Amino acid sequence: MTDSKNINNPVGQGGGQRKKLSRAERQNNGPHRNLDRQGAADRKAELVRKMREKARAAEATGQTGEATTQG
């Protein structure tokens, strides 16, 4: 058998050393998450831009309608 005292960590059974994980990676927030967050930020910026354009268009049509009713 092996010389290991821990049954979950048998010595000489392959494997090798594990990569040291950063705190974020240990919490499953590794480098892939940064890409996800960037993509989400891009989508949000696009959505905000579209909403502002719609608001400007509605404001422009609203102002012309008010001017005709007031005049």
Side-chain angles (χ1 to χ4, degrees):
M1 202 74 197
T2 62
D3 294 326
S4 174
K5 293 181 182 177
N6 184 349
I7 193 167
N8 296 324
N9 185 21
V11 175
Q13 297 294 313
Q17 290 186 336
R18 292 180 59 173
K19 174 181 174 260
K20 290 199 174 180
L21 300 175
S22 69
R23 181 183 223 168
E25 287 172 328
R26 279 184 269 142
Q27 296 172 348
N28 293 327
N29 298 334
H32 60 278
R33 182 170 187 254
N34 295 335
L35 296 174
D36 292 342
R37 293 177 78 182
Q38 184 62 43
D42 292 343
R43 286 192 300 274
K44 182 178 177 182
E46 182 68 18
L47 181 63
V48 168
R49 185 186 63 78
K50 287 180 181 178
M51 290 174 67
R52 285 185 179 152
E53 285 179 2
K54 283 185 181 180
R56 283 191 195 120
E59 187 177 294
T61 58
Q63 285 178 350
T64 56
E66 289 173 9
T68 56
T69 56
Q70 289 176 356

